[in-house]
Structure formats: structure tokens, C-alpha cells
């Protein structure tokens, strides 16, 4: 006696990997590809970096310290037009370290002072003009110093480093030109028109 | 006289089979690649950085401030990178995950090269993609700023999966603005 059995044949082509646990749905940056031969698939990732504007400016010692440049003219040299070096700069002698950094476009440095006609004598009405104070930059091409003046308002424009970025350093060295014969005494200091203020501005 | 029933090899369990004997033939299929970058939301993920004004260009690395959309598989501010490659066991192949970061981030005419972006890889913490036990990791690194930077190569059938947290290296003073850019990951199996 024959026993017939029903045999169900099914030819099933299965792609390996189709039964992955948690198979990924089709999403924009989730891609899949299958087939014979070489395969390749891509996905992307975006980035965003916010760079804010900033401006940093330094003349002399960092922090809240205000340096005082002092010239002492020998009696035998008064008015002989030999420039007089001095002391008090944070870079030695009368040299001040200067740095200016910013990323928002062309920076302008403007000089001003708290005098009304130059550096005033401590007790007399005499003054020494700010034109007697010269400033020499170690990098005049890229970070020149504005010429000091009684009225203030002279400017210098540091050369941009790249794009809208300025990143310049130099030393500004001060000298007393000594072209006049003033009355004996002490002129300037912060109390008598001797304070210079440099302002860096960026658009 | 009894005739023994033929022996049947049931290779795949088919739900539609009732009390039937069946023969299932599974033919060899081709290879398969699956690549996922970020969450499963239907959008290209974005990594955001915000540099404090006091730190612009001072060399302090800035960790990303956010990733959108967020991926529950990975910790906050990190991106899932999941590469899977499969082939027949009798034909093992080598898959390579690479990235093209040759186009810099831009704002107007100003640029930041992708060489200023690094990532730190950590193991994913589970989640719906079950990536926790992926046998292959993707090392931490820095974008090369070039096309075809190889990240990892592995033999099939395996899965390379990490959570990547990105940092902006902040090594140069750059012009102010919001810089945007895109990298392209490629998973290939010759």
C-alpha cells in the first residue's frame, strides 16, 4: 500500500540581511543597497559654526594697570633737539607692547588725551605740546601708531590679516623730541593732561 | 507494508504552512550595505557649534552645542554612525566606510576647513538599532579636508557602529558669521 504525501515545494530566494533585527525604514540619511557586484551607498551630515564678533586691544601692561612713560631731560640737553628716551614701558624703556585683534572688519585706532593744550606744568600755566612726544612702531606697515596731538583725533588703521580678521602685534616706542626750551618742572602725569587714551573701533 | 515518509529538510519556517511538509530552497543572494548617519528622522542631521566671543581662535576646542534631530540611540550632542555590510559566508568581502570633507564650511566668501572638526567615538547605548554589540568600532579622528578619507574597513558580514561627538578645534581667528557645510559618508564594497 502506497502512502501518498503531499509535498509542497517552494523555491524561495532570500537576500541575506533582509531579516535583520530592527531593519531600518527608508529614511533620508539612512540608505541601503543590495545586489550582486560592487556596492556603494552614501549619507550626509551637516555642520553649523557660529563665530561671534569680537575686538581685543592692548597698549602696554595687560589688565587694569596704566603704564606711565617718564622722560627726564638732562640739564645740558634741554632744547637741543636730541630725542630723549625714557622709562616705564612694559616692553622695556619707553616701549609698550601693543596688540589688536578682531574679526568684524577694518579697525581704527584713535588717540586722545585729557589735556586742553598739551602736557601741563604741575604749578604753572606752561604746557609742552604733544607734538614733542613721538611714537615709533616696530611694525609701522601693519600696526602703525597714531600721531599724538593736543586736540586728539589722529588715527591709524591696522592692516587686515585676512578676510575681516585683524591680528596684529607690535611695540610702540615713545621719545621726547626736545625741540623747545620749556620752563623747569614736571609736565603731564594723569593729573595734568598727561593721560593718552587709545580707542580701537570696529564697524 | 509500510513505506517510510520521505525526509524533508525545512530550511525556512513559513508562517503560511499549515500541517504540511515543505522544501524551501534559499538561493544565494547578493551583498547588502546599510548606512545610517544620525537619527532616523527623515532629514539630514546637523551638528551645531557656538564659539564664545572670548575664545575665538584661541585653540580651545568647542564641543558641539547640539545635534538636530536628537538621536535616542546616542548621548546628547552625538551622532550615530552605523555601517553594515553583508555577503554570503562563502564569499567574504571587505567593506570600507569613508568620508568626503573636501568642501569647507562657508559664510559668504569666508571659509573654515573641515580639518578644524574632530570627533570622539563612543559605544552606542543600545536603542532600537541594537548597535550596542557591534563588533567593529569606528576610531576617533579629525576630518582630513579631502575626499575619500578612510574611517574603517571590515570584512563581511559585520556592523561598525559608534556615537560620535564632534568638536570645533578653534585654532584660528576667523571672520564673524555663521558657517555651514556638509560631509558625505560612503560605505562601499567592491
Amino acid at each position: 500500500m502506497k502512502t501518498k504525501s503531499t509535498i509542497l515545494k517552494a523555491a524561495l530566494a532570500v537576500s541575506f540581511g533582509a531579516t535583520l533585527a530592527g531593519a531600518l525604514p527608508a529614511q533620508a540619511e539612512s540608505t541601503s543597497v543590495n545586489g550582486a557586484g560592487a556596492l556603494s551607498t552614501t549619507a550626509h551630515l551637516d555642520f553649523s559654526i557660529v563665530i561671534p564678533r569680537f575686538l581685543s586691544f592692548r597698549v602696554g601692561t595687560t589688565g587694569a594697570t596704566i603704564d606711565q612713560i617718564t622722560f627726564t631731560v638732562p640739564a645740558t640737553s634741554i632744547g637741543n633737539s636730541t630725542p630723549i628716551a625714557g622709562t616705564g614701558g612694559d616692553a622695556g624703556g619707553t616701549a609698550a607692547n601693543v596688540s589688536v585683534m578682531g574679526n568684524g572688519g577694518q579697525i581704527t585706532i584713535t588717540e586722545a588725551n585729557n589735556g586742553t593744550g598739551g602736557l601741563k606744568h604741575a604749578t604753572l600755566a606752561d604746557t609742552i605740546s604733544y607734538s614733542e612726544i613721538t611714537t615709533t612702531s616696530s611694525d609701522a606697515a601693519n600696526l602703525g601708531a597714531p600721531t599724538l596731538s593736543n586736540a586728539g583725533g589722529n588715527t591709524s588703521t591696522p592692516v587686515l590679516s585676512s578676510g575681516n580678521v585683524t591680528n596684529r602685534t607690535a611695540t610702540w616706542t615713545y621719545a621726547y623730541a626736545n625741540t623747545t626750551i620749556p620752563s623747569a618742572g614736571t609736565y603731564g602725569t594723569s593729573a595734568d593732561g598727561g593721560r593718552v587714551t587709545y580707542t580701537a573701533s570696529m564697524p | 507494508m509500510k513505506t517510510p515518509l520521505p525526509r524533508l529538510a525545512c530550511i525556512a519556517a513559513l508562517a503560511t504552512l499549515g500541517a504540511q511538509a515543505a522544501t524551501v530552497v534559499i538561493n544565494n543572494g547578493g551583498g547588502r550595505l546599510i548606512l545610517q548617519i544620525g537619527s532616523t528622522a527623515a532629514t539630514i542631521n546637523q551638528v551645531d557649534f557656538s564659539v564664545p566671543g572670548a575664545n575665538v581662535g584661541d585653540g580651545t576646542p568647542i564641543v558641539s552645542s547640539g545635534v538636530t534631530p536628537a538621536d535616542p540611540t546616542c548621548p546628547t550632542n552625538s551622532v550615530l554612525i552605523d555601517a553594515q555590510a553583508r555577503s554570503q559566508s562563502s564569499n567574504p568581502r571587505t567593506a570600507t566606510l569613508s568620508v568626503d570633507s573636501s568642501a569647507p564650511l562657508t559664510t559668504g566668501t569666508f571659509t573654515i576647513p573641515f580639518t578644524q572638526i574632530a570627533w570622539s567615538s563612543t559605544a552606542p547605548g543600545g536603542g532600537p538599532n541594537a548597535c550596542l554589540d557591534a563588533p567593529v568600532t569606528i576610531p576617533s579622528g579629525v576630518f582630513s579636508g579631502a575626499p575619500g578619507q578612510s574611517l574603517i574597513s571590515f570584512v563581511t558580514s559585520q556592523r561598525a557602529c559608534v556615537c560620535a561627538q564632534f568638536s570645533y578645534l578653534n585654532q584660528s581667528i576667523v571672520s564673524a558669521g555663521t558657517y555651514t557645510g556638509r560631509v558625505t559618508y560612503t560605505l562601499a564594497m567592491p
Side-chain angles (χ1 to χ4, degrees), chain B residues 73-75 80-82 84 122-137 159-163:
Chain B
T73 305
C74 287
L80 178 70
I81 301 177
D82 186 1
Q84 305 174 42
T122 58
N129 292 318
C131 208
L132 180 63
D133 297 325
V136 181
T137 188
R159 183 174 191 173
C161 189
V162 293
C163 293

Side-chain angles (χ1 to χ4, degrees), chain B residues 31-148:
Chain B
R32 182 171 175 85
L33 299 176
I34 300 174
L35 178 62
Q36 179 179 349
I37 305 296
S39 75
T40 56
T43 184
I44 298 174
N45 284 212
Q46 177 165 299
V47 181
D48 298 316
F49 302 92
S50 183
V51 182
N55 294 118
V56 174
D58 71 355
T60 302
I62 307 298
V63 178
S64 64
S65 57
V67 174
T68 53
D71 186 345
T73 305
C74 287
T76 304
N77 292 337
S78 58
V79 177
L80 178 70
I81 301 177
D82 186 1
Q84 305 174 42
R86 296 180 180 273
S87 67
Q88 306 93 317
S89 59
S90 60
N91 181 29
R93 300 163 70 177
T94 298
T96 297
L97 177 66
S98 62
V99 63
D100 181 351
S101 60
S102 56
L105 299 99
T106 63
T107 184
T109 59
F110 305 130
T111 62
I112 295 177
F114 265 102
T115 52
Q116 286 292 299
I117 305 289
W119 70 90
S120 175
S121 298
T122 58
N129 292 318
C131 208
L132 180 63
D133 297 325
V136 181
T137 188
I138 302 169
S140 305
V142 181
F143 288 122
S144 68

Side-chain angles (χ1 to χ4, degrees), chain A residues 8 10 12 20 24 27 29 31-35 37 39 41-52 103 164, chain B residues 17 23 25 31-33 35 37 40 45 47 49 51 86 93 129 175-177 179 181-185 187 189:
Chain A
L8 176 65
L12 179 65
L20 288 171
L24 298 168
Q27 301 289 352
E29 290 312 303
T31 60
S32 63
V33 61
N34 56 272
L39 299 174
T41 188
T42 62
H44 306 87
L45 185 61
D46 286 346
F47 291 82
S48 172
I49 306 175
V50 176
I51 304 292
N103 67 350
N164 280 340
Chain B
L17 284 178
T23 299
V25 176
R32 182 171 175 85
L33 299 176
L35 178 62
I37 305 296
T40 56
N45 284 212
V47 181
F49 302 92
V51 182
R86 296 180 180 273
R93 300 163 70 177
N129 292 318
S175 300
Y179 294 74
R182 174 174 293 178
V183 300
T184 299
Y185 292 87
L187 180 61
M189 187 163 67

